[in-house]
Amino acid sequence: MHSWLLGGLPNDNFSIDNAIIMANGRRWPLFIDPQGQANKWIKALEKNNRLQVIKLSEGGEFMRVLENAMQFGSPVLLEGIGSELDPALEPLLLKQLFKSGGATCIRLGDTTVEYSAEFRFYITTKLRTPHYAPELCTKVSLLNFMTTPEGLEDQLLGIVVAAERPDLEEEKNKLIVSGAANKRKLKETENEILRVLSSSSGNILEDEQAVAILQSSKLLADEISSKQKVADDTEGKIDQAREEYKPVAHHASLVYFCVTDLATIEPMYQYSLRWFVELFTRAIADSARSPDLATRLQLLNAHFTFFLYQNVCRSLFEKDKLLFAFTLALKLKLDTGEVDHGELRFLLTGGIAVGDLSLPNPAPDWMSDRCWAELCMASDLGPKWQGLATHVAEHIDNWRRLYDSSHPQLELLPGEWHDRLDSFQRLLLLRALRQDKLALGITGYISQTLGSRFVEPQPFALEPSFADSNCGTPLIFVLSPGSDPMASLLKFAEDRNIRVESVSLGQGQGPVAKKLIAEGSTAGFWVVLQNCHLAKSFMTTLELICESQLGEGRCHSSFRLWLTSYPSPSFPISVLENGIKMTNEPPKGLRAGLLRTYASDPFCSAEYLEGCVRDAPFRRLLMGLAFFHSVVQERRKFGPIGWNIPYEFNWNDLRISCCQLRMFLDEYPDIPYDTLRYTAGECNYGGKVTDSHDRHTLMTLLTTYYSADLVSKAHYSLASTLANGYTAPEYTDYKGYLGYINSLPLSTPPAVFGLHDNADITKDLQEAQLLLDSL
């Protein structure tokens, strides 16, 4: 068992039980191994025994390797299988052995192969929840090798102690090795004593050689026992010192499972344990130091949590970023006991009514029966909730004011209930009374629990992702409707003077892609494979290329492989786990949209912003155009109220309009407002609009931003109403515009988009329900 642990077996009872089943079972093991721990352990376990690693995707080659291994007694690891196994492996799984000419043989397909008793066969799959046929499950030992919290915590504890106190970890490892060696020697000594006793004939006391062996064995056993006792005492002291760092390992283990759970809502959200450990190691090195251990651990936990959030968020769609932050907050609070499991179930489901309600609905004219039923069920959640329904019935006017408020998540609860309930418990009331504002309430809860930076928009940038990559790391754009990262990627490559070759995958494009990758990995240019979701048959080849051809030392250091794909279950899990994923979806909210716009080319270019002949009007109109772009995108989220047809306005529409704005202001003696409105509204954006009412709406909105009043009037409102904080900024520089955008509210009222204040009720209800369903 010690040798197993030294080889990388997680140190928890679940994993050790799996290893015992593997070692003593009569059937070959099939490991469910999404984190790759079984793969790593088996390779370490068999590294001195000529282990052969094969894949079903290798075609007939894997059968030849398997036949040779069975003849010569080499262990074989079949890794990365899907939900089915090759039928040719059936005789091996069933161990259909027979004697032929005195030798043990097995028949694989049309070939009869000699079978060595030393042969061992291991199978692993990366699938998290595979669905295997019952007939397959009866032929193998199906072992769940997913990471357990205890095993991961022990692994992370070793990492943090090795970084913070390398002396302790080094001494601990030495003791483990010496302890295993001592126990092995002690076992050998005991076996030697038993051998001497069993082989001796007559009076053993007259056998001088036997007596000498027994005496030396006793001396050796006593020496080993005393050494082991000292080692055990030392190891206990080291473990006591290591325990001081356990809160960090426990915290990191909790947030890891928040990350892995994301794969249940989107197949592209795949993250490897190796990637997580690398982030954890970087966070230990980069976090702030303190001589006080408790402060140091607190700083490390805070830094790692946000560092992980940043890295995960760049690969999440906008709808899932709030979900991930809320999951982090809940996981940490559930662990400390500050959130009750029963209350969390109520938040997710609204409770389950059993029998008649204790009180009749006191205000059926405005309070729905569902709302009243949830308030009655909330009264039974615990001591803090007792009397809630009675208080609502007796003070119905006070609760009506909360119900009618435009910002109920910010209002004080009537009576003693605001002080009686904590911030999470108030979310339950918000769900019951005003579920449409639950997402905003959750945003406030995250800000209070984890900090405001966990709810502020994360700007999209290629630089951090590129900096984290190397020549063997694929960079993957996960696409959404209307997103096109190619313009940003080409500009990014142009700034670095890097050649880019792209191919759109589809029928017959596989050989072209393979050739480009081979050339690029040698010459050092970038290769972009677009629309991978359309080339399902090429995905197996792509996985093999990434594993066999790419990697440091195997290709040019400047080479990068960029992939774009819509979410697809056929996309290789190993490529997703080992690659760097990014989403280029329009960000959620007006403020986030404007930040993305001003962080992108050409807005972030000083030459573009400062080089216009009419400098001041250009800057005002450019801000108006950016505002218009965010407004037309945000209106889509309101459904038919925003646009009759959900159009995919994208970055190219804005970029072309920007170029035309600069050109017309440079070349015309007067500002041609009608021309600007026509080119932007009728051609660039309007080219996608097919509904006449939507076209009229689009042109009406554009007149707010492309107008003479915007250029000439101070404090001109960029919203269609005099909403506070939405006046156009005065003449300023690039940093000034960023400051103005950051001063805008995080949540934008519908009036800014030209809609009624109640327009967001349906949108917010759908958003809240999606969030609860995903949780």
Side-chain angles (χ1 to χ4, degrees):
M1 192 179 296
H2 275 80
S3 63
W4 288 348
L5 296 175
L6 289 173
L9 181 70
N11 189 12
D12 62 274
N13 293 333
F14 188 69
S15 300
I16 292 171
D17 289 345
N18 279 334
I20 293 171
I21 294 171
M22 181 208 74
N24 299 292
R26 290 179 296 174
R27 293 176 289 187
W28 301 123
L30 194 168
F31 296 100
I32 299 172
D33 185 34
Q35 287 92 15
Q37 292 198 117
N39 251 25
K40 178 183 174 184
W41 174 56
I42 291 166
K43 288 176 181 177
L45 190 68
E46 302 284 6
K47 67 180 179 181
N48 297 324
N49 300 323
R50 307 189 312 276
L51 175 69
Q52 303 293 318
V53 181
I54 59 175
K55 288 190 172 187
L56 294 179
S57 56
E58 294 172 351
E61 180 65 27
F62 86 89
M63 287 300 290
R64 286 191 290 273
V65 174
L66 195 57
E67 290 168 6
N68 291 331
M70 283 191 286
Q71 282 182 313
F72 298 107
S74 300
V76 173
L77 170 61
L78 173 60
E79 62 180 10
I81 69 165
S83 54
E84 295 178 353
L85 273 176
D86 194 314
L89 295 173
E90 179 114 349
L92 176 58
L93 297 180
L94 294 175
K95 296 187 178 179
Q96 294 175 342
L97 308 177
F98 60 91
K99 291 285 186 178
S100 176
T104 304
C105 300
I106 189 171
R107 191 168 184 83
L108 289 180
D110 299 330
T111 309
T112 300
V113 185
E114 285 191 22
Y115 183 88
S116 170
E118 299 297 319
F119 172 74
R120 292 177 298 282
F121 189 45
Y122 309 97
I123 311 171
T124 65
T125 177
K126 297 286 286 183
L127 301 177
R128 290 172 57 84
T129 53
H131 298 283
Y132 292 117
E135 52 268 26
L136 175 60
C137 295
T138 59
K139 299 170 189 172
V140 298
S141 293
L142 196 61
L143 303 176
N144 184 359
F145 224 83
M146 291 183 68
T147 304
T148 62
E150 296 80 11
L152 179 61
E153 191 173 316
D154 184 74
Q155 184 178 346
L156 295 174
L157 180 60
I159 292 170
V160 69
V161 173
E164 297 286 300
R165 293 285 304 275
D167 54 324
L168 284 181
E169 194 62 17
E170 185 179 354
E171 186 67 22
K172 169 82 173 176
N173 292 334
K174 285 181 180 178
L175 288 173
I176 291 175
V177 173
S178 64
N182 288 339
K183 288 179 180 177
R184 186 171 62 252
K185 287 180 183 177
L186 192 59
K187 183 70 176 175
E188 291 171 355
T189 302
E190 291 170 353
N191 291 337
E192 179 68 13
I193 292 172
L194 292 173
R195 186 190 66 77
V196 170
L197 292 174
S198 62
S199 62
S200 177
S201 58
N203 189 350
I204 193 172
L205 296 177
E206 296 176 357
D207 188 343
E208 294 182 4
Q209 184 180 2
V211 171
I213 291 174
L214 290 175
Q215 286 178 338
S216 63
S217 297
K218 182 179 183 303
L219 290 174
L220 182 60
D222 290 343
E223 182 183 352
I224 291 173
S225 297
S226 61
K227 283 182 180 179
Q228 190 58 38
K229 187 175 183 305
V230 173
D232 289 342
D233 292 340
T234 307
E235 188 174 358
K237 294 176 182 177
I238 292 174
D239 286 340
Q240 187 175 358
R242 290 172 87 244
E243 284 293 310
E244 296 178 340
Y245 292 91
K246 198 167 184 178
V248 171
H250 182 67
H251 178 93
S253 174
L254 289 175
V255 298
Y256 171 75
F257 288 100
C258 294
V259 175
T260 56
D261 288 345
L262 290 171
T264 59
I265 60 172
E266 179 58 61
M268 303 297 275
Y269 296 161
Q270 303 284 349
Y271 306 90
S272 68
L273 180 60
R274 186 182 69 178
W275 167 86
F276 181 84
V277 169
E278 287 175 357
L279 280 188
F280 184 59
T281 306
R282 285 173 57 189
I284 294 172
D286 297 343
S287 56
R289 302 277 170 177
S290 173
D292 180 59
L293 182 60
T295 305
R296 164 64 178 155
L297 299 184
Q298 189 176 1
L299 290 171
L300 178 53
N301 280 342
H303 177 81
F304 175 64
T305 306
F306 186 63
F307 185 51
L308 177 72
Y309 174 76
Q310 284 181 305
N311 279 270
V312 172
C313 267
R314 69 185 178 195
S315 62
L316 300 183
F317 291 123
E318 289 297 322
K319 66 182 180 66
D320 298 322
K321 291 180 180 178
L322 182 65
L323 168 70
F324 178 55
F326 190 41
T327 305
L328 285 175
L330 284 179
K331 198 83 170 179
L332 297 174
K333 292 298 181 183
L334 283 168
D335 183 63
T336 59
E338 295 176 59
V339 170
D340 179 71
H341 286 273
E343 293 174 351
L344 177 58
R345 279 194 298 272
F346 183 89
L347 177 68
L348 300 181
T349 64
I352 300 173
V354 179
D356 296 331
L357 300 177
S358 57
L359 294 170
N361 188 343
D365 54 322
W366 62 269
M367 185 183 294
S368 67
D369 292 338
R370 180 201 63 81
C371 173
W372 178 245
E374 289 189 6
L375 288 173
C376 289
M377 286 183 283
S379 301
D380 300 327
L381 286 175
K384 277 190 173 183
W385 295 90
Q386 288 181 1
L388 173 65
T390 304
H391 188 277
V392 172
E394 293 174 354
H395 303 82
I396 195 67
D397 291 338
N398 294 339
W399 290 91
R400 174 67 185 269
R401 281 194 290 272
L402 178 68
Y403 179 85
D404 289 339
S405 172
S406 58
H407 303 288
Q409 74 278 9
L410 303 177
E411 299 287 343
L412 296 178
L413 297 181
E416 63 180 359
W417 290 97
H418 194 82
D419 296 327
R420 193 167 168 180
L421 302 179
D422 61 32
S423 55
F424 177 76
Q425 291 168 330
R426 290 182 210 127
L427 293 178
L428 277 61
L429 283 182
L430 198 59
R431 177 205 160 89
L433 287 168
R434 287 288 302 276
Q435 189 171 332
D436 59 306
K437 297 299 181 184
L438 182 59
L440 290 176
I442 288 174
T443 302
Y445 176 76
I446 296 168
S447 181
Q448 179 183 342
T449 305
L450 298 178
S452 59
R453 56 184 180 170
F454 283 85
V455 296
E456 291 173 352
Q458 301 292 318
F460 172 78
L462 287 173
E463 182 64 45
S465 299
F466 178 76
D468 290 344
S469 70
N470 57 47
C471 57
T473 309
L475 293 110
I476 307 160
F477 287 104
V478 185
L479 303 177
S480 58
S483 66
D484 182 11
M486 280 306 294
S488 301
L489 178 56
L490 292 174
K491 179 70 170 68
F492 186 70
E494 182 185 339
D495 292 342
R496 282 157 182 74
N497 198 26
I498 296 286
R499 173 186 164 197
V500 178
E501 295 291 342
S502 66
V503 57
S504 183
L505 294 180
Q507 189 172 5
Q509 296 301 305
V512 178
K514 288 175 66 176
K515 182 181 177 183
L516 277 177
I517 293 173
E519 292 177 358
S521 61
T522 305
F525 59 82
W526 293 356
V527 176
V528 184
L529 303 186
Q530 295 178 275
N531 301 321
C532 292
H533 59 285
L534 299 179
K536 184 177 179 180
S537 60
F538 183 70
M539 291 298 98
T540 303
T541 307
L542 176 64
E543 185 176 12
L544 281 174
I545 290 173
C546 290
E547 291 181 356
S548 60
Q549 296 184 24
L550 306 187
E552 294 187 67
R554 284 180 285 179
C555 56
H556 197 287
S557 60
S558 298
F559 171 74
R560 293 293 185 276
L561 178 62
W562 302 80
L563 309 172
T564 72
S565 175
Y566 278 90
S568 170
S570 62
F571 203 96
I573 293 177
S574 63
V575 178
L576 285 170
E577 288 187 340
N578 297 321
I580 295 174
K581 298 173 288 296
M582 296 162 282
T583 55
N584 193 26
E585 193 179 17
K588 181 180 176 182
L590 180 71
R591 172 175 152 186
L594 287 171
L595 276 176
R596 166 77 67 87
T597 298
Y598 269 82
S600 305
D601 185 72
F603 285 79
C604 61
S605 169
E607 180 184 353
Y608 177 80
L609 190 63
E610 299 170 2
C612 184
V613 174
R614 290 185 176 84
D615 189 23
F618 171 69
R619 297 192 185 208
R620 303 265 297 185
L621 290 170
L622 191 65
M623 170 56 76
L625 181 61
F627 210 92
F628 167 75
H629 178 73
S630 294
V631 165
V632 296
Q633 286 191 320
E634 285 296 306
R635 280 180 68 101
R636 189 176 55 196
K637 298 174 184 177
F638 290 87
I641 300 175
W643 302 109
N644 289 331
I645 300 171
Y647 305 105
E648 300 298 341
F649 301 116
N650 58 39
W651 179 253
N652 289 329
D653 301 323
L654 177 61
R655 186 169 52 83
I656 294 170
S657 298
C658 290
C659 294
Q660 291 170 343
L661 173 63
R662 171 72 181 270
M663 180 184 70
F664 287 137
L665 263 62
D666 281 344
E667 296 181 2
Y668 279 64
D670 298 317
I671 301 176
Y673 292 105
D674 290 339
T675 305
L676 289 171
R677 282 192 286 264
Y678 182 83
T679 54
E682 296 287 353
C683 301
N684 303 334
Y685 288 88
K688 295 181 172 68
V689 179
T690 55
D691 184 87
S692 60
H693 296 290
D694 286 341
R695 184 177 292 274
H696 181 72
T697 302
L698 183 78
M699 295 305 296
T700 303
L701 286 170
L702 189 56
T703 56
T704 304
Y705 310 105
Y706 268 178
S707 71
D709 288 344
L710 172 61
V711 173
S712 59
K713 286 187 178 180
H715 308 295
Y716 180 81
S717 176
L718 291 170
S720 55
T721 179
L722 294 177
N724 292 331
Y726 292 95
T727 56
E730 299 303 317
Y731 181 89
T732 182
D733 58 6
Y734 178 72
K735 288 185 178 180
Y737 288 113
L738 290 181
Y740 164 76
I741 294 169
N742 281 312
S743 70
L744 297 176
L746 199 59
S747 175
T748 310
V752 175
F753 309 119
L755 301 171
H756 189 271
D757 286 343
N758 290 338
D760 59 355
I761 292 177
T762 303
K763 173 183 76 72
D764 290 344
L765 278 172
Q766 291 175 345
E767 183 181 346
Q769 194 58 51
L770 176 64
L771 181 63
L772 294 175
D773 291 344
S774 299
L775 271 172

